[in-house]
Amino acid sequence: MSDMTSTADAPRSPGRPRSIRADEAIIEATLDLLAEGSTIEALSIEAIAARAGVGKATIYRRWAGKDALLLDALRRLKGVMAKPAGHSVRDDLVLLVGAIGKNVDPRAAKIMPCLVPVVNRSADQFQLYQNIISPRRKLMREVLRRGIDEGVLRADIDVEVTMALLTGPMLIQRVLQWNPDLDEQTLPERVVDAVLEGIRAR
Amino acid sequence: MSDMTSTADAPRSPGRPRSIRADEAIIEATLDLLAEGSTIEALSIEAIAARAGVGKATIYRRWAGKDALLLDALRRLKGVMAKPAGHSVRDDLVLLVGAIGKNVDPRAAKIMPCLVPVVNRSADQFQLYQNIISPRRKLMREVLRRGIDEGVLRADIDVEVTMALLTGPMLIQRVLQWNPDLDEQTLPERVVDAVLEGIRAR
DNA sequence: GCAATACGATACGGGTCAGACTCGTAACGC
DNA sequence: GCGTTACGAGTCTGACCCGTATCGTATTGC
């Protein structure tokens, strides 16, 4: 949590300690409400408190406002970053593409679309978004460069465009459900293979 | 407009006719406010009325509520659908890919991200979204099939995946500004060429 | 036991908004 | 001119919410 007393150096303040269960309940209530379809700005502290079985003061004691709470809640969603094995370039790409928009928490699928409008609303939030995706982008870039070095991929490809090529289809499918008929399970494989082989007859 | 008296068959109702300028001003005010960063649900009828220089009643006389008004306002944004020339498959694809997320109205760029969360909120709205994109998807599908028939494209490609491949990169760039360093102008060309040729060394 | 701090619950003033309503006025057909 | 309808502006009631404060109670260290 952002403004909670840090765990280690605290000389143990007197009085009743803050309830960890309340922390958990508040975060969970926030995510639940979002996953149930509430939009970010329709989300009210009062609703969160009621859902968590908690007084409003308990929330304000921990977070400065809705934004700070949301930031912590959303952090909870982020899945572990995929780690490519490093053997086959194709398999590594399939792994990375499959990890796009994939989160541990099933609620994330409902919540992600709500974040899209937020991303470009301010420079701060855009930076926050870039901070999340840039390590994943770096991972993919390294795999592609490795492929070039190994001679598996052509040397003259535009790496950045290729990354967009691999990421875009997966993202619009997971976030937007762009084509309801596409099978999400096999999509990573099919995308990677299509990008590898190209579609021109030869 | 959805509930305005239809133009043709109306036997001319008595009294003062509704102001066309008011219609226009209301729609424009709605789009302006959205483009200035207001989110859809933060948008209030009162704000729209004030911005349009119009009484609230004038809005309620025309639309049942915010949703109906928004539906009409957003209809205004939709650009003309691109029309492929039919000569070169590559050029047609570049044209179609370039048209993705491209609208006549410059305000659309700011508004589109706000629509992402709405799309999957109800079956109705999802259908509405599909109705908009499916004719464009059909167009691209026809170009790809033509390419296969002409022998320009391989016969064994998955057409639906290929469409996602062409659409995804453009969409995440236009809507999400996924990679700020990518040049949006030349992106359609580069995407189409990359998809055509593939990235595997040979 | 006592001070300190937390808890859930509730009340408060201040704010925004939806929708329905009321003004006096303006534009139309007859 | 008269009936009809629309106009902009404004009012009013009832929601809902924020952020703070105040209850009585619970949990900690000393």
Side-chain angles (χ1 to χ4, degrees):
Chain A
M1 314 301 137
S2 41
D3 60 353
M4 295 187 62
T5 52
S6 48
T7 49
D9 54 352
R12 187 68 183 93
S13 60
R16 175 177 174 175
R18 289 194 183 163
S19 158
I20 301 175
R21 285 189 46 222
D23 280 308
E24 199 66 28
I26 292 165
I27 297 274
E28 287 300 304
T30 305
L31 295 177
D32 280 345
L33 287 172
L34 280 178
E36 283 168 16
S38 170
T39 42
I40 286 185
E41 66 245 9
L43 199 63
S44 69
I45 300 282
E46 284 190 341
I48 296 172
R51 172 63 158 262
V54 145
K56 281 200 291 177
T58 303
I59 296 181
Y60 283 110
R61 207 171 286 124
R62 289 164 161 78
W63 290 278
K66 199 166 70 176
D67 288 355
L69 168 55
L70 270 173
L71 206 64
D72 277 353
L74 294 176
R75 255 198 270 274
R76 184 71 58 98
L77 282 185
K78 248 187 27 178
V80 189
M81 214 163 55
K83 180 102 178 64
H87 305 312
S88 146
V89 168
R90 176 194 177 271
D91 292 350
D92 282 357
L93 288 179
V94 170
L95 182 78
L96 289 178
V97 170
I100 291 166
K102 181 144 206 156
N103 297 77
V104 188
D105 197 312
R107 289 170 298 193
K110 301 269 186 189
I111 297 177
M112 271 190 304
C114 298
L115 303 180
V116 172
V118 178
V119 162
N120 280 304
R121 198 155 299 280
S122 81
D124 275 0
Q125 285 157 331
F126 182 73
Q127 197 51 52
L128 211 65
Y129 166 66
Q130 292 293 330
N131 287 346
I132 292 174
I133 64 172
S134 72
R136 295 147 199 259
R137 205 146 51 184
K138 182 167 173 244
L139 223 51
M140 187 180 287
R141 190 179 295 117
E142 287 167 354
V143 172
L144 289 174
R145 286 205 208 286
R146 202 186 80 216
I148 297 174
D149 290 345
E150 292 175 358
V152 180
L153 303 183
R154 289 213 315 268
D156 63 339
I157 65 172
D158 185 324
V159 174
E160 301 302 318
V161 169
T162 304
M163 291 199 296
L165 226 58
L166 292 165
T167 307
M170 208 60 213
L171 216 48
I172 65 170
Q173 192 59 27
R174 285 247 164 90
V175 174
L176 212 54
Q177 216 189 341
W178 180 73
N179 182 346
D181 296 331
L182 275 181
D183 177 31
E184 239 182 57
Q185 290 296 319
T186 60
L187 190 58
E189 249 188 328
R190 298 199 282 169
V191 166
V192 170
D193 287 335
V195 171
L196 276 172
E197 303 302 334
I199 62 173
R200 188 190 290 280
R202 44 175 190 268
Chain B
M1 314 300 139
S2 40
D3 59 352
M4 292 188 64
T5 54
S6 47
T7 50
D9 54 353
R12 189 67 184 90
S13 60
R16 175 176 173 176
R18 289 193 181 163
S19 157
I20 301 176
R21 287 190 45 222
D23 280 308
E24 200 65 27
I26 293 166
I27 298 274
E28 286 301 304
T30 306
L31 294 177
D32 280 345
L33 288 171
L34 280 178
E36 281 167 18
S38 168
T39 43
I40 286 186
E41 65 245 8
L43 199 63
S44 69
I45 299 284
E46 283 189 342
I48 296 172
R51 173 62 158 263
V54 144
K56 282 200 289 178
T58 302
I59 297 181
Y60 283 112
R61 206 172 286 127
R62 288 164 161 77
W63 291 278
K66 200 166 68 177
D67 288 355
L69 168 56
L70 273 173
L71 206 63
D72 278 352
L74 295 176
R75 254 199 270 274
R76 186 70 59 99
L77 281 185
K78 249 187 24 179
V80 189
M81 215 163 55
K83 180 100 180 61
H87 305 312
S88 146
V89 168
R90 176 194 176 268
D91 292 350
D92 283 357
L93 288 179
V94 170
L95 183 77
L96 290 178
V97 169
I100 291 167
K102 182 143 204 157
N103 296 77
V104 187
D105 198 313
R107 290 171 296 193
K110 300 268 185 191
I111 297 177
M112 271 190 304
C114 298
L115 302 180
V116 173
V118 178
V119 163
N120 281 304
R121 197 157 300 281
S122 80
D124 274 0
Q125 286 157 331
F126 181 72
Q127 197 51 52
L128 212 64
Y129 166 65
Q130 292 293 331
N131 287 347
I132 293 174
I133 63 173
S134 72
R136 295 147 199 261
R137 202 144 54 186
K138 183 168 172 245
L139 224 50
M140 186 181 288
R141 190 180 296 117
E142 286 168 354
V143 172
L144 289 174
R145 286 204 209 286
R146 202 186 80 216
I148 296 175
D149 290 345
E150 293 175 357
V152 180
L153 303 182
R154 288 215 315 269
D156 64 337
I157 64 172
D158 185 324
V159 173
E160 299 303 317
V161 169
T162 304
M163 291 198 296
L165 225 60
L166 292 165
T167 306
M170 209 57 214
L171 214 49
I172 66 172
Q173 192 58 26
R174 285 248 166 88
V175 174
L176 213 54
Q177 216 189 342
W178 179 73
N179 182 347
D181 296 331
L182 275 182
D183 175 30
E184 239 181 56
Q185 290 295 319
T186 61
L187 191 57
E189 251 188 327
R190 297 199 282 169
V191 165
V192 170
D193 286 335
V195 171
L196 277 172
E197 303 301 334
I199 62 174
R200 187 190 292 280
R202 46 174 190 268

